[in-house]
Amino acid sequence: MDDLHQPELLARLQHKIDNKTKPLGSLGRIEQLAIQLGLILGTESPRLSQAQMLVCAGDHGIVKHGVSAFPSDVTWQMVENFLAGGAAVSVLARQHGIALNVIDCGVNHDFTPRPGLLIRKVAYGTADSLQVPAMSSEQCQQAIDQGRDIVKNLPGNAVLLGEMGIGNTSAAALLLARLGDLDIADCTGAGTGLDHFAIARKVETLRLVLKRHASATAPLDALACLGGFEIATLVGIVLQAAIDNRVIMVDGFIASSAVLVATRLAPRVQQRCVYAHRSAESGHRLMLETLQATALLDLGLRLGEGSGAALAWPLLQSASDILCDMASFESAGVARSD
């Protein structure tokens, strides 16, 4: 994976944005974002094309221990809602012209094949990680490889990460605690809406999971023992998108956990990532700190699905258009300040 820190291109991009008809630095983080897009796409005039929202779905065996306010059936029901166009991410993707594909990575349900659905089921949900590894190493690698293959067959130069899986805030919290060397209580939040007592029970359950898999410290071992099929598929998507020098728009807590694993495997992945928002899920702040990342938005979101990524997408489009289309002082005939 190439290092995107190219001093000559960076200098040209900085010169270009500095010479737009505006006070120096007056567009703030939009200017930083424009430069990042130029570095990712390798050009002084980065144009975003054919953005792809990939919503990866899977079920989790640990749900039987009461770590979610919703039953596992909600996973497949929400997949149907995505495909019918009724979910928040469906509405937002439609609004912004983003292609939406839903990927069955391991949902405990058989779906009727149809456009917009990619069936890449590894199994009917992960195993109960309180008892055994959530995935075998072979299943984990299968999910990663399938994520890579999905990206290889997609057009465009940008991917937006989405997910669905009842119980997956638990998997994300476990990965953050293990790979970030943090206390699980600090990484664990309400998820789908647990009350204070249920969160405490969730924390104790996850603490036991970490104890059972204490030796799973390497990134792929942690992913297999603690993660989910949808998270592993997202890891593959992120790795391949980074190799392809696509812009990677990261959604919330669960999507960020996949990026955390990917960056542990290939640190230069981080150069291609744009973090859409800081989730209201309590662990996401720590996740962003662990990734040394700053999110574009902070709107109190905790829906998942890729909804935050879709909401932030217009900011990327604006950054691209500013860099490509905004006049310079010279072209507009505008005098500079002394």
Side-chain angles (χ1 to χ4, degrees), residues 76-308:
W76 73 260
Q77 292 165 358
M78 282 302 300
V79 168
E80 292 288 354
N81 193 23
F82 298 146
L83 294 169
V89 73
S90 311
V91 172
L92 293 167
R94 196 160 56 240
Q95 178 188 6
H96 298 304
I98 303 167
L100 173 63
N101 280 291
V102 184
I103 305 153
D104 173 11
C105 310
V107 180
N108 189 22
H109 184 79
D110 289 311
F111 295 101
T112 302
R114 75 204 82 167
L117 173 64
L118 304 177
I119 299 176
R120 303 291 188 272
K121 194 189 300 289
V122 178
Y124 289 87
T126 60
D128 176 7
S129 58
L130 187 57
Q131 305 299 327
V132 295
M135 300 171 263
S136 68
S137 58
E138 293 78 13
Q139 287 177 320
C140 184
Q141 191 61 53
Q142 180 185 345
I144 291 171
D145 290 344
Q146 290 182 165
R148 287 182 178 273
D149 289 341
I150 288 165
V151 174
K152 288 177 183 178
N153 291 304
L154 287 176
N157 60 14
V159 295
L160 294 82
L161 310 181
E163 45 64 40
M164 178 63 213
I166 296 301
N168 64 10
T169 59
S170 292
L174 288 165
L175 289 168
L176 174 59
R178 178 54 50 82
L179 297 179
D181 193 24
L182 297 166
D183 189 273
I184 189 63
D186 296 328
C187 303
T188 306
T192 49
L194 296 175
D195 62 23
H196 174 75
F197 298 104
I199 293 172
R201 184 172 64 246
K202 178 180 178 181
V203 167
E204 291 312 306
T205 299
L206 300 187
R207 200 178 296 283
L208 291 172
V209 172
L210 288 170
K211 183 176 179 180
R212 175 166 289 279
H213 304 292
S215 63
T217 57
L220 288 182
D221 292 341
L223 178 61
C225 287
L226 309 172
F229 293 129
E230 79 278 36
I231 296 174
T233 303
L234 283 169
V235 170
I237 287 169
V238 169
L239 290 171
Q240 189 61 48
I243 288 171
D244 293 348
N245 287 333
R246 302 185 193 225
V247 178
I248 303 168
M249 177 64 99
V250 186
D251 188 42
F253 186 48
I254 293 93
S256 296
S257 75
V259 173
L260 179 62
V261 175
T263 57
R264 291 294 194 266
L265 298 170
R268 289 175 179 171
V269 161
Q270 185 73 286
Q271 298 174 342
R272 283 83 171 167
C273 290
V274 178
Y275 293 84
H277 72 109
R278 189 175 80 171
S279 168
E281 181 68 14
S282 58
H284 198 215
R285 177 185 59 81
L286 289 174
M287 183 78 78
L288 292 171
E289 290 177 2
T290 302
L291 287 162
Q292 296 183 312
T294 304
L296 293 174
L297 303 174
D298 189 351
L299 301 174
L301 307 174
R302 58 180 182 86
L303 177 58
E305 302 179 359
S307 53

